[in-house]
Amino acid sequence: IGIMAGYSVRRGRASALPSIWAGTCVALLASAAAAALLLWTQADFPQRAQETFEAVVALVAIAVLLSMVFWMRRAGRTMKAEIEQSLDLDLLGASGRFSMPLFATAFLIVGREGLESVMFLIAILQQATGPGMLTGAGLGLATAALVGALIFRLGVQLNLARFFRWTGVVVIFIAAGLAASAVRAFHEAGLWNGLQGSAFDLSAVLPTDGLLGTLLSGIFGYSAAPSWGELLAYLALLIPTLIAFLRPLSPTLAPRAA
């Protein structure tokens, strides 16, 4: 959104900004409505169905997060140039009136990320307690808004490929934690009872009710005494995904500059 707004102003089309802001706000409201609906639906479930729902949400969040990080890995090199190229076409009809293409572009960009955030935060909320998760989400949104404002106001040039690479590694660790939490939820729902022996116990060293343990549990799905099933699910997702993500792009997959 920062790239869209800044480029529109640089092209002398500040009249396009209301269309961009409108698409952004509608997408935020739609994401909030989706979150409220999912939370309300979950509250009406009996215990077993609720645990199953939590496991399914975790699996959906994993699929969404991993598809996102691998898309960012491919698109990060040319994203800015491609956005500006497509905006040249949309701005032709944006002078002095509402632009549906710009509204739709902003709505789809923010709505896509908003729904991903909803699925991810609900999955995290199911394994975290206290206000820490909501505080972290608020700080993350505020940081994203600040970065967007800097891009818009100051023309800050981000190395998107490098930015997405390191944030992608963090997201993969988060997805691995969700995989472990899905195994735990399936067990609590009575749908999976294998590999329930304790792999190790770090409760005396790093308990989940301490500050660091709470943060690690809420963000990365840390468990002080995971079962073998949880540990194997964590490693089975983490190791091959990290190898695939950190492997250099082949020339046929690396996007060419527009």
Side-chain angles (χ1 to χ4, degrees):
I1 295 301
I3 293 172
M4 287 178 64
Y7 187 70
S8 299
V9 171
R10 290 201 304 273
R11 297 283 289 177
R13 298 295 180 88
S15 59
L17 293 181
S19 302
I20 297 173
W21 303 144
T24 301
C25 292
V26 172
L28 290 173
L29 291 174
S31 299
L37 178 62
L38 285 171
L39 289 173
W40 173 76
T41 303
Q42 178 189 4
D44 287 344
F45 285 172
Q47 181 65 28
R48 179 171 181 175
Q50 184 170 330
E51 296 293 346
T52 304
F53 177 80
E54 291 178 5
V56 171
V57 167
L59 294 178
V60 171
I62 290 169
V64 169
L65 290 173
L66 294 186
S67 66
M68 178 183 68
V69 297
F70 280 98
W71 173 80
M72 291 192 306
R73 177 175 178 260
R74 293 191 302 270
R77 299 182 181 184
T78 60
M79 180 183 292
K80 185 174 184 292
E82 290 173 358
I83 289 176
E84 292 180 350
Q85 187 180 43
S86 65
L87 279 174
D88 279 332
L89 299 176
D90 293 340
L91 287 171
L92 292 176
S95 179
R97 60 188 181 88
F98 183 81
S99 171
M100 181 55 69
L102 291 177
F103 172 89
T105 301
F107 175 82
L108 291 174
I109 289 173
V110 177
R112 178 179 182 271
E113 302 301 325
L115 289 177
E116 288 174 351
S117 299
V118 165
M119 297 302 298
F120 165 65
L121 290 175
I122 287 179
I124 292 296
L125 183 62
Q126 292 162 352
Q127 58 183 323
T129 57
M133 191 277 290
L134 294 178
T135 302
L139 289 174
L141 289 171
T143 302
L146 176 62
V147 171
L150 289 174
I151 292 174
F152 173 55
R153 294 293 184 184
L154 305 178
V156 175
Q157 300 293 318
L158 287 179
N159 185 327
L160 291 179
R162 183 176 299 171
F163 177 78
F164 287 156
R165 184 177 182 85
W166 291 112
T167 56
V169 169
V170 175
V171 169
I172 290 171
F173 274 92
I174 292 172
L178 289 177
S181 71
V183 171
R184 183 163 57 250
F186 277 128
H187 170 65
E188 292 173 355
L191 300 177
W192 167 260
N193 295 311
L195 299 173
Q196 290 306 308
S198 179
F200 53 80
D201 191 345
L202 298 178
S203 300
V205 179
L206 188 59
T208 54
D209 55 357
L211 175 60
L212 181 57
T214 299
L215 290 174
L216 293 176
S217 174
I219 299 174
F220 297 107
Y222 166 75
S223 175
S227 68
W228 280 109
E230 295 169 28
L231 180 61
L232 291 175
Y234 185 93
L235 295 177
L237 187 143
L238 178 68
I239 294 174
T241 306
L242 272 180
I243 292 173
F245 183 77
L246 295 175
R247 184 176 55 199
L249 283 172
S250 65
T252 57
L253 293 178
R256 292 176 296 177

